[in-house]
Amino acid sequence: MNAAVFSSLFPVVFFISLGYASVRLGWVGRQSVRDISNIVFLVLSPALLFRTMSTVHPEDLDFGPVLVYFIAALAIFTVVILAHGFNRAGAVMALAGTFSNTVMIGVPLVGLAFGKAGLTMLFTLVSVHSLILLTLVTVVLELATAREAARRGEAQRGIAVTVLKAVRNGILHPVPLPIVAGMLFAQTGWTLPPVLDQSLQMLGVGLGPMALLVVGITLAFTPIGTHLRGALGLSAIKTVLHPLAVLALGWAMGLSGLPLGVMVVTAALPIGANVFLFSQRYAAAEEVVTASVAVSTIAGLVTVPLALAIATRV
């Protein structure tokens, strides 16, 4: 196996295994999972997102290759939504099929495989990765939640009111809000005070490990055998269909070389832990998503080297 791939994927498998072992050893109980998830979703995630976006200046970035990536991702997102229906579970599974683990796995892998030029391209993608996909799924989830509530007779609103409420909830949300706030802050030209910047950095560093520990903890309470088929399906969409779609679209749009290679490898990465956090937050497809994060990470040991081999030849 390629050393860069192994060194990037090993920490992910390691943290998930630690979370799983914590349950088996009796250190963590089922009742604590939701509280730990809230800490990750409501505290650690906003800190990382705001700090990351607070230094992003869109005018300095090349969004051509990124456009190819997101056209492919949005096409897959739409197909999965249509296949599963416009509901919370469908939205979460659509996110699972398109949201890559760009930070914990992508950054070290691309850095080792493509060097500084590859990282610059990846950071361009990372700068809008969460903004586009997480904001999209937030709005879809809020619309689906309102739709399901109306069907139960809990709410009777016009479509315009429902859409406006969903958009409002989609913006005033622990994920899109710090992204937008960070981008607005970056446009002021100011810099964060060192003490605050260091504090946010410390919180952000904890996001990846903590999110993966929670995946492992939830995995210990999840009968994977029951959800193996669904997990394999979602993993195949994420680690096989997504990179193939990016590759085909990139060729069709005349993209080649390092930019296309970085996009293809990033699309082949396992499902990001944020998908799990959304499934927990909205109580949608929790077990199949938990299993899918683990299965796609294991599958990545095979699919990522293949994508890397293809990427070095495009």
Side-chain angles (χ1 to χ4, degrees):
M1 181 191 304
N2 188 288
V5 175
F6 178 79
S7 62
S8 299
L9 289 175
F10 178 79
V12 178
V13 176
F14 180 67
F15 284 125
I16 291 176
S17 299
L18 279 182
Y20 185 90
S22 297
V23 173
R24 295 305 182 195
L25 292 171
W27 297 344
V28 180
R30 182 186 292 269
Q31 69 281 359
S32 63
V33 175
R34 184 71 63 180
D35 293 333
I36 299 174
S37 296
N38 283 338
I39 290 294
V40 175
F41 196 84
L42 300 174
V43 179
L44 302 183
S45 180
L48 175 65
L49 293 172
F50 176 81
R51 184 173 182 273
T52 300
M53 302 308 295
S54 68
T55 59
V56 170
H57 297 281
E59 64 274 11
D60 299 330
L61 304 176
D62 178 12
F63 287 101
V66 173
L67 178 63
V68 171
Y69 182 95
F70 282 115
I71 290 175
L74 294 176
I76 294 172
F77 188 96
T78 301
V79 170
V80 175
I81 281 280
L82 293 175
H84 290 280
F86 190 81
N87 51 51
R88 287 175 297 158
V92 169
M93 285 190 279
L95 183 65
T98 53
F99 193 87
S100 296
N101 192 329
T102 55
V103 177
M104 278 204 73
I105 303 178
V107 170
L109 175 61
V110 169
L112 289 169
F114 297 98
K116 184 178 179 180
L119 281 176
T120 300
M121 187 58 60
L122 177 63
F123 288 151
T124 303
L125 172 61
V126 169
S127 69
V128 292
H129 187 251
S130 295
L131 175 64
I132 292 176
L133 292 179
L134 298 188
T135 301
L136 171 65
V137 78
T138 298
V139 173
V140 172
L141 280 165
E142 290 294 337
L143 282 169
T145 300
R147 183 167 177 259
E148 292 170 13
R151 284 183 170 181
R152 295 192 300 268
E154 297 175 8
Q156 296 294 333
R157 302 185 182 93
I159 184 63
V161 175
T162 299
V163 170
L164 287 175
K165 182 176 183 294
V167 171
R168 184 197 67 187
N169 291 343
I171 296 174
L172 302 177
H173 186 278
V175 174
L177 184 59
I179 293 174
V180 174
M183 292 188 72
L184 292 175
F185 181 84
Q187 303 315 303
T188 65
W190 301 339
T191 58
L192 293 171
V195 174
L196 177 58
D197 183 63
Q198 184 180 16
S199 299
L200 292 177
Q201 181 183 20
M202 293 172 68
L203 287 171
V205 167
L207 172 63
M210 281 297 298
L212 293 170
L213 284 171
V214 178
V215 171
I217 290 169
T218 306
L219 191 62
F221 297 113
T222 302
I224 292 186
T226 306
H227 302 282
L228 183 59
R229 182 176 179 180
L232 287 172
L234 279 179
S235 298
I237 291 172
K238 180 66 202 69
T239 62
V240 179
L241 179 60
H242 192 189
L244 287 177
V246 171
L247 180 63
L249 187 61
W251 276 340
M253 296 180 66
L255 193 65
S256 62
L258 184 142
L260 178 58
V262 172
M263 295 301 108
V264 170
V265 170
T266 304
L269 294 174
I271 298 169
N274 269 313
V275 182
F276 163 79
L277 298 177
F278 266 83
S279 73
Q280 291 279 313
R281 179 74 173 176
Y282 285 90
E286 296 170 79
E287 294 185 336
V288 68
V289 165
T290 300
S292 297
V293 171
V295 170
S296 69
T297 301
I298 296 171
L301 296 171
V302 176
T303 59
V304 173
L306 289 175
L308 193 58
I310 294 172
T312 57
R313 291 170 173 78
V314 295

